[in-house]
Amino acid sequence: MTGNLGRVSVTPSPRKVALLTLGCARNEVDSEELAARLDAGGWQVSTDASGADVVLVNTCGFVEKAKQDSIETLLAAADTGAKVVAAGCMAERYGKELADSLPEAQAVLGFDDYADIAARLDGVLAGERFDAHTPRDRRELLPITPVQRQGVKIGIPGHGSPERATVDEHTPAHLRPVLRHRLESGPVASLKLASGCDRRCSFCAIPAFRGAFVSRDPQELLAEAEWLARTGVRELVLVSENSTSYGKDLGDPRALEKLLPQLAAVDGIVRVRASYLQPAETRPGLVEVIATTPGVAAYYDLSFQHSSEPVLRRMRRFGSTDRFLELLDSARALAPTAGARSNFIVGFPGETRQDIDELIRFLSAARLDAIGVFDYSDEDGTEAAGLPGKVREDVIKRRYDKVVSLADELCTQRAEERLGSYVEVLVDSVAGGEVEGRAEHQAPEVDGSTSLVGESAGLRPGDLVRARVTGTEGVDLIAEPVEMIDAAPVSQRG
């Protein structure tokens, strides 16, 4: 039997990678840059590990619990049968040490691998083994003087641009390339202002593995904001390790004050929220811009950490109860309903009962909308780990429980103060007849939410409505819509 059977064309199955993100909003932005690079490299990207060829875990390495969560996620990923790759802060911070202790991971990649992430995963899928890096202090990779850092070529997650070196500074924002692939839909997205930190807080290891502070170019940020708006984003949350330092390496310490109104003016964006503000660097001009600029949330995410001066000095921070209260008063003088939140560490080395009393005095007077409390634990490589005067674990627990209980009570009272007031609510989700959103003083995931009841039929994610607060449940509000302020475009309504 003879004949021409011809040549059968077989289309190769797409390579599938699941990208799992742990930790903070900064990590989420980094993951979306990785997703864009992988997509450009021919990988099919999702957040679902089922059926994936490779599971890439963007780990968190901030505190012990976050590191344990990262390890558990990596081990669970290995159970799927996919090849497992560790990236992110924990991978950068520990490198070879993590690789040696976690044979389940086919590769442990550092920040310097991000630019070639698609090729790295190609190699992993082909069975190659990669030697993990030996960690180093990434602050040493950049000049000490901030203004000399721009243009230095090192791996900085979340700062990618496919043609950054060839983009003319006069290219309009909307024509600049954006290296980002959204992994989640929805009306809210983070926008990364900068990476790294120049502060030397004695309890924090982040600067050593994230590096020195580097701002992103304002035009780059505006281009990304416009791109996000075209994907349906209505609220931008500005993130970094220290947003109040934005622009110091660009030669303009007022850069954030100038950038906020520009971002708020982007077509489709109805709210811009600044986060990660350092109290010692929060200038009066920035307080005013946040409080008075239309489209910018009157919201102050201030990193107080404590309020007792002796503790703050040992933390290598500045401030006091009275100075912090003055800062909050200055914001509320301009915007009486402004929201404010902060985090605090209890049990820092040398902390006394008098220090706790001072912290309680501050919390009782500050009228914060949300309070995060952490019990101190030593972190590898930090100055605080070697400080004398360690507080006993049982004492830390008692103080922690006391401050948490007070914080819950105070935040509930603060929410009750808003009864009868009007708030602007951005609708986040509509499911099963329940409409959930957030008022101006409520940041995503950390500050509570607002349930819209009554005349809420027809509302969709992305709608911005005015509503009257009729009830509270802890820090959460219950409110009735009274007016549509800005409806999400029809093409974005689901």
Side-chain angles (χ1 to χ4, degrees), residues 298-317:
Y299 171 84
Y300 297 85
D301 175 16
L302 293 156
S303 177
F304 290 129
Q305 303 301 344
H306 213 285
S307 73
S308 170
E309 284 192 82
V311 175
L312 288 167
R313 294 301 174 269
R314 286 192 294 276
M315 288 180 169
R316 295 201 179 279
R317 297 176 67 85

Side-chain angles (χ1 to χ4, degrees), residues 264-480:
V266 170
D267 188 33
I269 299 299
V270 295
R271 181 185 286 163
V272 178
R273 184 184 303 277
S275 60
Y276 302 101
L277 306 177
Q278 286 290 340
E281 299 178 27
T282 304
R283 299 168 298 278
L286 180 59
V287 171
E288 181 177 359
V289 166
I290 292 174
T292 63
T293 303
V296 174
Y299 171 84
Y300 297 85
D301 175 16
L302 293 156
S303 177
F304 290 129
Q305 303 301 344
H306 213 285
S307 73
S308 170
E309 284 192 82
V311 175
L312 288 167
R313 294 301 174 269
R314 286 192 294 276
M315 288 180 169
R316 295 201 179 279
R317 297 176 67 85
F318 303 94
S320 66
T321 292
D322 292 336
R323 287 176 63 182
F324 291 162
L325 290 175
E326 289 171 4
L327 175 57
L328 291 169
D329 287 344
S330 70
R332 289 169 177 150
L334 296 166
T337 61
R341 80 169 324 274
S342 192
N343 294 321
F344 299 88
I345 298 173
V346 172
F348 193 80
E351 182 188 69
T352 65
R353 282 179 292 180
Q354 289 74 26
D355 294 325
I356 284 291
D357 289 343
E358 185 67 2
L359 176 58
I360 288 173
R361 180 171 83 89
F362 171 70
L363 293 175
S364 300
R367 296 169 60 226
L368 298 174
D369 293 276
I371 299 170
V373 184
F374 296 87
D375 50 340
Y376 173 81
S377 62
D378 289 337
E379 273 296 307
D380 299 338
T382 62
E383 179 186 352
L387 288 178
K390 293 291 171 57
V391 182
R392 296 199 322 262
E393 287 189 15
D394 62 315
V395 175
I396 292 177
K397 186 178 188 308
R398 284 202 304 272
R399 292 176 181 176
Y400 171 82
D401 290 344
K402 181 178 182 179
V403 175
V404 166
S405 178
L406 175 64
D408 289 344
E409 179 183 345
L410 292 171
C411 291
T412 296
Q413 291 174 3
R414 178 61 175 148
E416 290 171 350
E417 290 178 19
R418 297 186 184 274
L419 281 168
S421 68
Y422 290 87
V423 291
E424 293 186 1
V425 179
L426 181 73
V427 177
D428 282 332
S429 64
V430 179
E434 296 185 355
V435 182
E436 289 291 323
R438 290 169 299 99
E440 206 172 358
H441 68 281
Q442 296 170 322
E445 300 180 1
V446 294
D447 293 344
S449 63
T450 299
S451 298
L452 293 175
V453 299
E455 297 298 323
S456 60
L459 291 177
R460 296 291 183 270
D463 287 344
L464 183 67
V465 300
R466 192 181 316 281
R468 182 175 178 273
V469 180
T470 58
T472 65
E473 294 180 354
V475 298
D476 299 328
L477 304 182
I478 301 168
E480 297 180 351

Side-chain angles (χ1 to χ4, degrees), residues 199-217:
R199 301 187 70 86
R200 294 295 182 266
C201 300
S202 61
F203 56 82
C204 184
I206 289 175
F209 59 85
R210 274 288 182 178
F213 186 88
V214 180
S215 301
R216 294 181 64 195
D217 178 85

